[in-house]
Amino acid sequence: MINTVQAGPLDPGRVPGQNFDLAPFLLQTLDANLQFTEVNPIDRYQDSYFFTDQHTGAMTFRVPSGAGHSGHSEFPRVELREKGNWLIDAGSTQERKLSIALRVLAEPQTGELIFAQIHGERSGGSEALKMRWSHGDIVMGVKKHYGDPEERITLLRGVALGSHIDCKLALRGDTLKVEVRAGEASARHAFSYASDAWKAIPVYYKLGLYSQDKQQDGSTASVAVEHVSLSE
């Protein structure tokens, strides 16, 4: 089933849950004390860190550096997490897709953030994919086996803040295909996982803003999402 999470033109006067069908996701955000919290269902929820841009209608994720974090991380996040999960399994013929149109509006002082993930239901290295913004470069971080050190593959270089970025992720069996475009530049990359190392670990998509700055240095990162589609 395909969820076209954005339905129609974005309305700056509506909260994110009115511009986007967010039923497939729960929200990981920050509370009034900058501590990690989860919201489920999202419905018409918004806060200072997850809200609609009053000019463009984009779904905006905002993360102050050094804010609170989840139990298995050092870094703060405001992200949508897919409620369902699935398996990286060479025997599966189902294709799981996530497509996002976004703009990185501001980066933290480190220049590093993550805007999409395939994450696992196990601690200790179950991030199968991290789509990274690194000082304007778009980098995919992957782990062939659960628990491996992350392999980083640079897809695009020198993307300006505020640029329109289209990112398409598709996993069928044990093969992930990534397509990314920013302006006239585009890249594609296919990566095969070691299925035996992953097939017992349920995984799910995430999108939004996972800041890679744990210091309270006064910087704030911001990502605006203009379109999302998810296959379930």
Side-chain angles (χ1 to χ4, degrees):
M1 181 177 67
I2 302 294
N3 284 308
T4 302
V5 180
Q6 177 194 340
L10 298 178
D11 184 343
R14 294 185 169 189
V15 299
Q18 293 174 301
N19 279 326
F20 299 83
D21 175 10
L22 300 182
F25 300 98
L26 61 81
L27 173 66
Q28 297 178 325
T29 186
L30 300 167
D31 64 18
N33 297 314
L34 287 178
Q35 297 304 303
F36 177 81
T37 188
E38 290 188 335
V39 178
N40 182 27
I42 300 169
D43 291 336
R44 297 193 178 188
Y45 178 87
Q46 67 176 345
D47 58 31
S48 298
Y49 312 104
F50 173 75
F51 56 91
T52 298
D53 184 283
Q54 294 185 351
H55 299 288
T56 66
M59 178 166 51
T60 305
F61 302 78
R62 176 177 171 268
V63 179
S65 298
H69 52 81
S70 58
H72 299 293
S73 175
E74 300 177 306
F75 300 103
R77 74 180 79 223
V78 179
E79 290 183 296
L80 296 175
R81 172 191 158 151
E82 185 182 7
K83 291 179 184 177
N85 54 51
W86 32 280
L87 297 174
I88 299 172
D89 183 352
S92 174
T93 59
Q94 187 167 6
E95 190 168 46
R96 302 281 182 171
K97 294 182 179 181
L98 176 67
S99 298
I100 320 168
L102 71 145
R103 300 175 191 268
V104 177
L105 304 180
E107 60 186 20
Q109 187 165 298
T110 61
E112 305 279 347
L113 61 85
I114 294 162
F115 59 84
Q117 299 188 63
I118 297 176
H119 202 291
E121 297 275 13
R122 188 181 295 180
S123 60
S126 66
E127 307 91 343
L129 170 70
K130 292 179 177 177
M131 291 301 299
R132 294 178 173 273
W133 167 280
S134 178
H135 302 275
D137 294 346
I138 306 297
V139 179
M140 59 182 287
V142 285
K143 297 181 179 181
K144 192 170 187 68
H145 304 83
Y146 162 71
D148 276 356
E150 185 182 71
E151 176 187 354
R152 297 188 183 183
I153 302 161
T154 300
L155 300 176
L156 297 178
R157 295 187 182 275
V159 179
L161 285 170
S163 297
H164 183 92
I165 301 167
D166 285 305
C167 178
K168 296 181 180 179
L169 311 176
L171 191 138
R172 184 193 298 271
D174 58 3
T175 301
L176 171 70
K177 294 182 179 179
V178 177
E179 298 181 30
V180 63
R181 176 181 295 275
E184 298 300 315
S186 63
R188 296 183 179 187
H189 192 89
F191 181 85
S192 294
Y193 294 97
S195 180
D196 287 349
W198 283 101
K199 66 181 181 181
I201 302 173
V203 296
Y204 48 86
Y205 278 123
K206 301 187 79 175
L207 68 116
L209 172 50
Y210 183 21
S211 174
Q212 300 296 282
D213 190 351
K214 60 185 177 181
Q215 304 300 322
Q216 294 182 357
D217 51 38
S219 65
T220 298
S222 181
V223 167
V225 171
E226 300 165 343
H227 177 81
V228 181
S229 64
L230 173 73
S231 71
E232 294 186 304

